[in-house]
């Protein structure tokens, strides 16, 4: 199969590129090589350097293509509200430009890189009121070190659980809103053009080649950069935030599998390791692996963060026959080897 991979020079993109080639596909890469992501030009075969918002460049890149894997995006939580228009332009408009050209070229198969952040807070249950959705986090609670969201009805503690793909979405920062908007645009394109979309809702991805020293890096990359400088990883809140850390090679395998699988018109898939860990766990595992300083729990917070978000990846396992090859310990060991 001939595949266009957008964002293929990035962290996840390079691993997806390698996996697609290993699975026997012909791959063309489109990447803008944003300077806030790429300090040097990476060595990528069959690379077209262009912005996803450049319709003419996208149209040329789509010539002869059977399917598209769309990873190109501005990633991360965002530094402040001054990033808002860039997220919307890069992610929402960029996806719309791509979808318009897919229609022209009659390409009908799309794998879209979404994120678990589209859910906002995860799944919670109250002993008295059953499944509930916590309200927005309040600054006065966070300032007081009260990080766990209470039941919005009775105020009692909640039990976090796993989110399925059928859960309501509730994006709580600009990046999350742009990722969900991309899903909606892709679903609209699929209905109107007769296409098929697999929206891959990635969890916290880590592994070899993680970006460093950028405000848009993920938490694993931030911790690793601190350890490389001889500093202790600094952990926000109390470190007990629940996450699912998934190795980038497992993500790449899921994407490559989705590129050739039969889907309904639109299908969302959670892509995670299936193991619930905390951000404190991650910092501790990295510190031990690097022989570095113990993590420092700061009690600081970012209002746009969510407390707990972990999801079930059972649909991906059942529908596509995928399963992860790494847990956090073996994944960090692999990271150290690179």
């Amino acid at each position: 199969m001939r595949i266009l991979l957008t964002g293929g020079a990035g962290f996840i993109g390079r691993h997806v590129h390698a996996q697609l080639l290993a699975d026997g596909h012909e791959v063309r890469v489109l990447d803008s090589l944003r300077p806030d992501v790429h300090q040097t030009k990476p060595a990528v075969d069959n690379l077209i350097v262009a912005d996803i918002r450049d319709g003419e460049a996208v149209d040329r890149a789509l010539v002869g293509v059977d399917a598209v894997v769309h990873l190109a995006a501005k990633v991360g939580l965002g530094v402040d509200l001054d990033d808002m228009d860039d997220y919307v332009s890069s992610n929402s408009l960029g996806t719309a430009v791509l979808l318009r050209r897919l229609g022209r070229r009659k390409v009908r198969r799309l794998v879209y890189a979404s994120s678990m952040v589209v859910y906002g807070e995860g799944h919670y249950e109250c002993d008295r009121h059953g499944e509930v959705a916590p309200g927005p986090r309040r600054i006065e609670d966070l300032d007081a070190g009260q990080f766990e969201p209470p039941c919005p009805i009775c105020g009692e503690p909640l039990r976090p659980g796993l989110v399925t793909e059928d859960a309501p979405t509730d994006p709580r920062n600009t990046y999350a809103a742009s990722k969900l908007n991309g899903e909606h645009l892709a679903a609209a394109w699929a209905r109107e053009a007769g296409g098929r979309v697999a929206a891959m809702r990635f969890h916290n991805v880590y592994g070899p080649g993680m970006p460093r020293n950028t405000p848009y890096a993920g938490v694993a990359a931030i911790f690793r950069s601190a350890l490389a400088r001889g500093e202790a990883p600094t952990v926000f809140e109390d470190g007990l935030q629940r996450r699912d850390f998934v190795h980038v090679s497992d993500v790449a395998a899921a994407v490559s599998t989705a590129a050739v699988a039969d889907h309904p018109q639109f299908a969302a898939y959670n892509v995670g390791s299936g193991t619930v860990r905390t951000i404190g766990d991650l910092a501790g595992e990295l510190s031990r692996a690097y022989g570095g300083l113990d993590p420092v729990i700061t009690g600081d917070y970012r209002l746009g963060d969510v407390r707990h978000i972990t999801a079930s990846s059972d649909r991906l396992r059942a529908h596509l026959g995928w399963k992860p090859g790494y847990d956090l310990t073996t994944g960090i060991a692999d990271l150290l080897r690179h």
Side-chain angles (χ1 to χ4, degrees), residues 11 203-214 216-229 233-235 243-248 278-279 281-287 290 302 328 331-332 335-336:
F11 162 47
H203 280 259
N204 295 78
V205 185
Y206 72 96
M210 290 187 303
R212 300 192 191 189
N213 305 317
T214 163
Y216 304 99
V219 66
I222 292 171
F223 291 162
R224 186 187 187 192
S225 293
L227 289 162
R229 296 191 300 268
T234 55
V235 181
R243 297 291 188 270
D244 185 329
F245 301 101
V246 58
H247 192 277
V248 67
T278 69
I279 290 179
D281 288 340
L282 172 68
E285 291 267 10
L286 283 168
S287 291
Y290 278 86
R302 297 187 298 186
L328 187 58
I332 288 177
L335 178 62
L336 260 65

Side-chain angles (χ1 to χ4, degrees), residues 184-198:
H184 291 163
L185 292 169
W189 164 80
R191 286 192 297 270
E192 295 179 23
R196 295 182 182 272
V197 179

